[in-house]
Amino acid sequence: MDRGLRVARAVTFVYFILNGTLLGMWVVMIPAVEERVGISHAALGGFLVLLGVGAFAGMQLGGRLCDRIGSRVVVPGAAVLCSATLVLPGLADRPWTLGAALLAFGFGNGTLDASMNAHAVQVERAYGRPVMSAFHATFSVGGVLAALAGAAAFGLGLGVPAALTAVGVLSIAVALAAARGLLPAITPSPAGHQGAGAPAPGSRAVPRRIWLLAVLAFLIMLCEGAANDWSALHLKTVLGAPESTAAFAYGTFAAAMTIGRLLADAICARFGPVNVLRYGSALAAGGITLVALAPWIPAALAGWALFGLGLSGCVPQLFSAAGHTDPAAAGANVSRVAGLGYIGMLAGPAVIGWMTHLMDLNHTFLLPALFCAVAAAAAGVLHTPAGTATTTDAHPLPAEAAS
């Protein structure tokens, strides 16, 4: 295997870790920023919507830029933008400045998210086998690094602006150093129906399959968002667990998801993406149903673990399929699927919260169970359309990548 391709895969891991670290640093600093600006928990929820709006806009731009000028240019540029805007929430001292800061940081994060996923699709195509899930697993590594960095910063007595600036500057250096290892843009070939006479990516009609993938991403990521915000609260309020035990609900879910993503590529190579989505979603549906009905804490923890394990390989398969549907519009298609999925991630906690006005919290989890069942039933959308390149078709590495 070409050394340039191995390097490209390694630096893609770096950018996924970098994105997880940058986003994690903001999460770690939320309490301090909230106190500095003087806003309530309820008001903070509104500001987080601005973060999501910025991210959605950044995803749409990042994906399209990748198709036009190549992810080798866009990924490091987006990483620098995300790193530079990280410090802005730490400098905010009024509500309006925090809103503007989160909008800018969200835009940088979304641009990086879409572009690094587009490059991951390019790497996967060159490898000729599934490698996407492992990239998503390393995003979680960034969150761990952010937690350690935040703890160290507080231990040293650094203020929020100083801590975010330090991480931002270091991240810019890493982003620029890793840029050389990214794959150059692949010139479309006539065999792929992308010759000189093909329409520009922006003028292409969006295939119906892309919107189906986007809807599935919305459903699956809504389920992830619900677990992120409600798992610990479920153990505490429904099953009466102490706070120290309740924290294990999210920890169990996150750990199972990380382990599942580390294993998903090998499973996908053996059994195919359709089965990963179908049986993964079915397992997740069973897990969250167990959570909804569990009368004991151990059973609920087992349910959260099954939920995370089942969901773990689903989103990477959807992103991968979007990128491989039309290589010349891979960035735009990934951004569409990721963008709608991100909306689902944000909507999940709110939907569950609204439903608690109508029923007990544990019963609201039957909605994610239904969504997982729908995803399992619709898994056939991942069947490769005739004439479409897949990860099982080796894609030759351009000569420049070996230099």
Side-chain angles (χ1 to χ4, degrees), residues 183-196:
L183 294 179
I186 295 176
T187 303
S189 63
H193 309 288
Q194 297 132 23

Side-chain angles (χ1 to χ4, degrees), residues 17 23-24 29 46 48 106 137 146 152 168 172 200 217 233 247 255 262 275 286 294 322 332:
I17 292 172
L23 193 59
M29 298 296 171
L48 293 179
I172 289 174
L233 199 60
L262 290 172
N275 286 323

Side-chain angles (χ1 to χ4, degrees), residues 211-224 314-315 318-319 336-342 344-345:
W211 295 122
L212 292 175
L213 293 170
V215 170
L216 291 180
F218 174 87
L219 298 179
I220 294 295
M221 293 180 72
L222 185 148
C223 295
E224 289 187 28
C314 296
V315 168
L318 298 173
F319 284 16
R336 292 179 180 112
V337 175
L340 196 56
Y342 195 83
M345 179 79 77

Side-chain angles (χ1 to χ4, degrees), residues 164-192:
L164 295 182
T165 298
V167 172
V169 170
L170 179 60
S171 297
I172 289 174
V174 171
L176 294 176
R180 182 176 174 80
L182 294 168
L183 294 179
I186 295 176
T187 303
S189 63

Side-chain angles (χ1 to χ4, degrees), residues 91-120:
L91 297 175
D93 56 1
R94 296 181 181 179
W96 73 268
T97 57
L98 178 60
L102 290 179
L103 197 62
F105 177 59
F107 183 84
N109 175 65
T111 307
L112 176 57
D113 191 297
S115 60
M116 71 185 188
N117 272 289
H119 185 264

Side-chain angles (χ1 to χ4, degrees), residues 9-29:
R9 187 184 185 192
V11 299
T12 306
F13 281 125
V14 169
Y15 284 107
F16 271 80
I17 292 172
L18 192 67
N19 192 20
T21 302
L22 293 170
L23 193 59
M25 280 301 297
W26 153 245
V27 172
V28 168
M29 298 296 171

